[in-house]
Amino acid sequence: MDSGLSATARAHPNIALIKYWGNRDDALRLPANASIAFNLSGLETTTSVAFDPRLPADSIEIDGVAAQGPAAERVRRHLDRIRALSGQGARARVASRSDFPAGTGLASSASAFAALTVAACAASGLSLPEEHLSRIARLGSGSAARSIPDGYVALETGARDEQAFAHSLAPSTHWDLVDCIALVSREPKSVGSSEGHRLAATSPLQPARVKDAPRRFEECRRAILEKDMLGLAEVVEQDCLLMHSVMMTSHPPLLYWLPATLNILHQVRHWRAQGLAVAFTIDAGPNVHCLCEAASLEQVVSRLADIPEVNQVLVCHPAPGATRVP
Amino acid sequence: MDSGLSATARAHPNIALIKYWGNRDDALRLPANASIAFNLSGLETTTSVAFDPRLPADSIEIDGVAAQGPAAERVRRHLDRIRALSGQGARARVASRSDFPAGTGLASSASAFAALTVAACAASGLSLPEEHLSRIARLGSGSAARSIPDGYVALETGARDEQAFAHSLAPSTHWDLVDCIALVSREPKSVGSSEGHRLAATSPLQPARVKDAPRRFEECRRAILEKDMLGLAEVVEQDCLLMHSVMMTSHPPLLYWLPATLNILHQVRHWRAQGLAVAFTIDAGPNVHCLCEAASLEQVVSRLADIPEVNQVLVCHPAPGATRVP
């Protein structure tokens, strides 16, 4: 039960259709280019925050375990931002739990920092518009900004903090696009996203990727609004390959794909050539997100499950944004 | 036996360390960027050309079979260039044979057009300097220009035909670098190099790849001259991944890699991290060229042979340029 000094919030991770990779400002996490994503149902993080004047220090528990080291420090710094904004001086008790299958390699920082932002702002008495919550979430984790609004969201770029927030392009009910996540590895990433973003600038390809981003953003936005699955497939796959091109040519190079990843890429293209409207996208890891409309869901899942290297397929529909829960 | 109107020549294919991908002029095959390669011993094409005033048309035999269609037409157009230059009006009998293991997916157009150029020029009475032979070979197949000079070669770029020829950076005896070609597929390429070069401009990444090419060229040239294997490894792998980045983001996209290709990439990087100085490069196909110094050859070949998807490993040392044979 939330008192005046405590609140609980829930948020989903999101899958980017137009990727965000590299910052124009690493400290402020101002993205180098605007991105588009949708929130993923079925995967969620629930976070409670209680400010307590008696606490000597922030107490942070993640999935039932006391957080330590850099992970705890990152949460503490985020609480400091919200304390500075609200004037709430007390330390906080934070308990966060994600229901993702353990060790799936799915990024949880987006849902974690979105839920933390909404819970901590509410607990400290702040009542902020969505845009502002999104900006605060962004400071904790760039892609967390996209987990604040509902459904299909765009995260704008900008030269200043005030310009870089996410807003909803269409509600989660607009189009039943499904993300069938083919898990091929349960290894944690060797290089995390925060570090990866810093490496983007070392690739000779990053400026060209960023320069062409507005074209891809517009094409993706149009495809979503018009529910044009084949148009979406083309721009989403190219955008994903542009990001991985930057990753694999950065210094040091990041080659996140496994042989199984590439096998699924070829299969997806083969299926589409045969008439099954499905597209791939890949985050900073080896798992493949296969996008299709709900009508094709059964066929896509059954074909993915037939690939020997696929350990599990998670099915996620578009989800609402971050919300307080009673 | 060659008479005054006939000649035979031999040439090797070459492996590019700094890739050539995309032309500034497709008709003249003026490369978008300068490239570096070395000729490959053990693989060769031998071509005889005999001009004969009694022939009603060019007669072209490739590997014992009468050539037809676009392949024959491409040879005929090349003979026309040499006829225009020499004033030799007769049609020719051409017999060409490559000793590469059949269906290895290795590009044979480089050695084929280099041998054809040297044989046809000699048979038509032309005695041209190497630079000019290289320019003529380039008109038949861009990378054939590199199979004309000895050993380690650079193919310059330029706005005019006269500027774009290959020259030797170091003789084949300079450094015993070895190319261990891991064959993982015997399928012919779905999109040939000539068509691929035309697609390069459709990738948003091609201008950035070309713009950064002089830096990579210089770094590779230095590494060869100083026999700096680890410096070579870094620039060669990045350059290869830059080319494949352009390929996979062109329209339509070209994804030449197979799962086995990616497996070898990861293995090579793992071996290098363990202290075995080896590097990968990949042409427009799925096979992986693993470069090492002769001292590491046995170890590299034996590790490659242990990978289940590797059907065969070809071992090629640096080779001389194209030459007439008696």
Side-chain angles (χ1 to χ4, degrees):
Chain A
M1 185 85 168
D2 292 345
S3 76
L5 288 172
S6 70
T8 299
R10 185 168 57 210
H12 304 275
N14 60 78
I15 177 66
L17 304 176
I18 298 298
K19 305 295 188 188
Y20 147 47
W21 193 247
N23 290 314
R24 57 174 72 191
D25 181 319
D26 278 318
L28 288 177
R29 298 185 196 266
L30 292 174
N33 66 282
S35 57
I36 294 179
F38 69 89
N39 286 313
L40 298 174
S41 74
L43 309 178
E44 61 183 50
T45 300
T46 305
T47 301
S48 298
V49 176
F51 289 99
D52 184 342
R54 294 161 306 178
L55 283 175
D58 291 320
S59 145
I60 300 150
E61 192 187 282
I62 299 176
D63 291 327
V65 179
Q68 294 184 317
E73 187 47 36
R74 195 168 163 190
V75 171
R76 248 175 237 123
R77 282 204 312 274
H78 202 63
L79 290 169
D80 284 344
R81 287 180 191 112
I82 292 163
R83 277 189 281 254
L85 211 60
S86 64
Q88 171 57 261
R91 303 296 103 186
R93 193 174 288 107
V94 175
S96 180
R97 188 170 289 278
S98 294
D99 70 351
F100 313 172
T104 53
L106 295 173
S108 55
S109 68
S111 52
F113 280 92
L116 176 65
T117 301
V118 171
C121 284
S124 68
L126 287 170
S127 176
L128 301 172
E130 184 181 276
E131 282 184 17
H132 200 165
L133 289 169
S134 176
R135 282 166 47 202
I136 297 172
R138 192 200 76 233
L139 294 167
S141 164
S143 56
R146 296 190 306 231
S147 286
I148 297 288
D150 176 32
Y152 297 86
V153 304
L155 169 56
E156 302 292 342
T157 175
R160 296 199 321 277
D161 172 56
E162 296 74 34
Q163 296 166 329
F165 57 85
H167 56 92
S168 185
L169 290 175
S172 54
T173 51
H174 163 70
W175 186 19
D176 201 359
L177 205 60
V178 192
D179 180 6
C180 306
I181 313 175
L183 301 179
V184 298
S185 169
R186 294 170 177 281
E187 303 256 324
K189 312 183 208 182
S190 55
V191 176
S193 294
S194 293
E195 174 59 12
H197 281 295
R198 274 188 284 274
L199 293 180
T202 67
S203 165
L205 302 180
Q206 171 72 348
R209 191 193 72 83
V210 168
K211 189 178 161 207
D212 183 61
R215 176 190 66 81
R216 304 191 302 276
F217 182 95
E218 259 323 300
E219 174 57 14
C220 181
R221 197 179 74 94
R222 184 204 59 75
I224 289 172
L225 295 181
E226 297 177 7
K227 304 179 193 176
D228 170 6
M229 185 62 212
L230 291 176
L232 187 80
E234 210 162 287
V235 71
V236 163
E237 291 187 358
Q238 192 195 35
D239 186 83
C240 155
L241 295 171
L242 287 166
M243 179 178 76
H244 284 271
S245 294
V246 167
M247 289 166 163
M248 66 177 78
T249 59
S250 69
H251 186 82
L254 303 174
L255 192 45
Y256 285 110
W257 301 352
L258 294 177
T261 311
L262 201 54
N263 184 23
I264 300 172
L265 261 54
H266 283 294
Q267 293 290 338
V268 166
R269 289 227 165 126
H270 177 61
W271 299 338
R272 195 157 78 243
Q274 287 179 324
L276 180 62
V278 52
F280 63 74
T281 188
I282 313 162
D283 275 347
N287 298 319
V288 184
H289 296 251
C290 298
L291 306 166
C292 65
E293 292 179 283
S296 310
L297 174 59
E298 262 185 64
Q299 239 193 317
V300 170
V301 170
S302 115
R303 290 186 188 203
L304 285 172
D306 280 348
I307 298 176
E309 300 97 328
V310 172
N311 304 323
Q312 192 181 348
V313 182
L314 303 176
V315 173
C316 303
H317 296 262
T323 46
R324 273 190 79 174
V325 289
Chain B
M1 187 84 165
D2 293 344
S3 77
L5 288 172
S6 70
T8 298
R10 185 168 57 211
H12 304 275
N14 60 78
I15 177 67
L17 304 176
I18 298 297
K19 304 295 188 189
Y20 147 48
W21 193 247
N23 291 313
R24 57 173 74 192
D25 181 319
D26 279 317
L28 288 176
R29 296 183 197 267
L30 292 174
N33 65 283
S35 57
I36 294 179
F38 69 89
N39 286 312
L40 299 173
S41 75
L43 308 178
E44 60 183 48
T45 300
T46 305
T47 301
S48 297
V49 176
F51 289 99
D52 185 340
R54 294 163 305 177
L55 283 175
D58 292 320
S59 146
I60 299 149
E61 192 188 282
I62 299 175
D63 291 327
V65 179
Q68 293 183 316
E73 186 49 35
R74 193 167 164 190
V75 171
R76 249 175 235 122
R77 282 204 314 272
H78 203 62
L79 290 168
D80 285 344
R81 288 179 190 115
I82 292 163
R83 277 189 283 253
L85 212 60
S86 64
Q88 170 57 261
R91 303 295 102 185
R93 192 175 288 107
V94 174
S96 180
R97 190 171 287 278
S98 294
D99 70 351
F100 313 172
T104 53
L106 295 172
S108 54
S109 68
S111 53
F113 280 92
L116 176 66
T117 300
V118 170
C121 285
S124 68
L126 287 170
S127 176
L128 300 173
E130 185 181 275
E131 283 184 17
H132 200 165
L133 288 168
S134 176
R135 281 168 46 203
I136 298 172
R138 193 201 74 234
L139 295 167
S141 163
S143 56
R146 297 190 305 232
S147 286
I148 298 287
D150 176 31
Y152 297 86
V153 304
L155 169 56
E156 301 291 343
T157 176
R160 295 200 321 278
D161 173 56
E162 297 74 32
Q163 295 167 329
F165 56 86
H167 56 92
S168 185
L169 290 175
S172 54
T173 52
H174 163 69
W175 187 20
D176 201 359
L177 205 59
V178 193
D179 181 6
C180 306
I181 313 174
L183 301 179
V184 298
S185 169
R186 295 168 176 284
E187 303 257 324
K189 313 181 207 185
S190 54
V191 176
S193 294
S194 294
E195 173 59 12
H197 282 296
R198 272 188 286 272
L199 293 181
T202 67
S203 164
L205 302 180
Q206 171 72 348
R209 191 194 74 84
V210 168
K211 188 179 163 206
D212 182 62
R215 176 190 66 82
R216 303 191 304 275
F217 182 96
E218 258 324 299
E219 175 58 15
C220 181
R221 197 180 75 93
R222 183 203 60 74
I224 290 171
L225 295 180
E226 297 177 8
K227 303 179 191 175
D228 170 5
M229 186 60 211
L230 290 177
L232 188 81
E234 209 162 287
V235 70
V236 163
E237 291 187 357
Q238 192 195 36
D239 186 84
C240 155
L241 294 172
L242 286 167
M243 179 178 76
H244 284 271
S245 294
V246 168
M247 289 166 162
M248 67 178 76
T249 58
S250 69
H251 185 84
L254 302 174
L255 192 45
Y256 285 111
W257 301 352
L258 293 177
T261 312
L262 201 55
N263 184 23
I264 300 172
L265 261 54
H266 283 294
Q267 294 290 336
V268 165
R269 289 228 164 126
H270 177 61
W271 299 339
R272 195 157 79 243
Q274 288 179 323
L276 179 63
V278 52
F280 63 75
T281 187
I282 314 162
D283 275 348
N287 299 318
V288 183
H289 296 252
C290 298
L291 306 166
C292 64
E293 292 180 284
S296 310
L297 173 58
E298 263 185 65
Q299 238 192 316
V300 170
V301 170
S302 112
R303 290 186 188 203
L304 286 173
D306 281 348
I307 298 176
E309 300 96 327
V310 172
N311 303 322
Q312 193 181 347
V313 182
L314 304 175
V315 173
C316 303
H317 296 262
T323 47
R324 274 191 78 175
V325 290

